[in-house]
Amino acid sequence: YEWRRSATSDTTGKYTIPDLQAGVYRLIITPPANLPLQKLVRDGILIDFGRTIKFDAVLGLGGGIVGIVSDYSQLPVVNAKINVERKLAEKYEYVTSVFSISEGSYSITGLPSPARYRLICEQPEGLDYITQIGEIDLPAGQAVTKDFVLPLGGTISGAIMNYTALPALASGTTG
């Protein structure tokens, strides 16, 4: 599908997307970020020349995840990246990412629920914390709390020499 047109609903919820060519369309309805509603995607909407298709939608109440990211000494961690993945069948698929703010807090709203989610909390750039992973079950239309404590990471260092005891260029990998 190619992006064609967009529209914003009015205060009564009504919207119109005019001047569409005949074809098959995907309609994506995205609620405002401040409302805990689920996004709706509808594929296969067939438009014929000169015809108006009426499509009313009810946006379900989305779930939310909130939490605090702190370090091993309980100080807030700012700009930690929290990646959100939703479990579908036997695998996880990326949904969104957010960053922790000044108090270490983060908030994600409008998530499809009920569902199982995996959150991956990554260190801010330039800091040496260990990435943490957590899974949660998000009940329909509710918010749950998932806090993260990032432990301090360690370092491996040394020298690499060749067989004649001269420095050698090489790379190291952990696993």
Side-chain angles (χ1 to χ4, degrees):
Y1 296 98
E2 293 179 31
W3 180 86
R4 299 283 184 198
R5 303 245 189 281
S6 66
T8 301
S9 60
D10 63 21
T11 57
T12 67
K14 303 233 185 279
Y15 71 96
T16 300
I17 305 173
D19 304 324
L20 296 174
Q21 296 179 0
V24 179
Y25 288 85
R26 166 184 278 172
L27 180 63
I28 302 171
I29 301 173
T30 305
N34 64 335
L35 296 177
L37 300 173
Q38 295 182 31
K39 176 168 73 171
L40 178 79
V41 178
R42 183 60 45 102
D43 289 324
I45 297 176
L46 177 63
I47 304 291
D48 292 326
F49 284 112
R51 189 165 170 219
T52 298
I53 298 296
K54 183 176 179 180
F55 184 85
D56 294 333
V58 176
L59 301 181
L61 185 61
I65 304 170
V66 297
I68 303 283
V69 181
S70 59
D71 68 10
Y72 57 94
S73 62
Q74 298 304 310
L75 293 174
V77 176
V78 179
N79 288 327
K81 183 178 183 182
I82 297 94
N83 295 305
V84 181
E85 299 174 341
R86 180 180 177 196
K87 188 168 188 179
L88 297 171
E90 294 302 314
K91 63 180 182 171
Y92 283 90
E93 291 188 5
Y94 174 82
V95 175
T96 190
S97 294
V98 297
F99 290 89
S100 60
I101 59 174
S102 60
E103 308 84 28
S105 65
Y106 71 92
S107 176
I108 307 154
T109 60
L111 293 171
S113 60
R116 182 159 186 83
Y117 288 91
R118 177 168 58 196
L119 286 78
I120 304 164
C121 184
E122 300 175 354
Q123 69 183 6
E125 191 170 321
L127 297 178
D128 193 21
Y129 295 123
I130 298 172
T131 296
Q132 297 295 297
I133 299 173
E135 293 187 7
I136 58 142
D137 289 311
L138 184 60
Q142 295 183 26
V144 297
T145 299
K146 177 62 181 156
D147 295 333
F148 289 97
V149 176
L150 299 180
L152 191 59
T155 302
I156 299 173
S157 68
I160 299 174
M161 307 296 214
N162 69 19
Y163 65 95
T164 63
L166 295 173
L169 294 177
S171 64
T173 304
T174 62

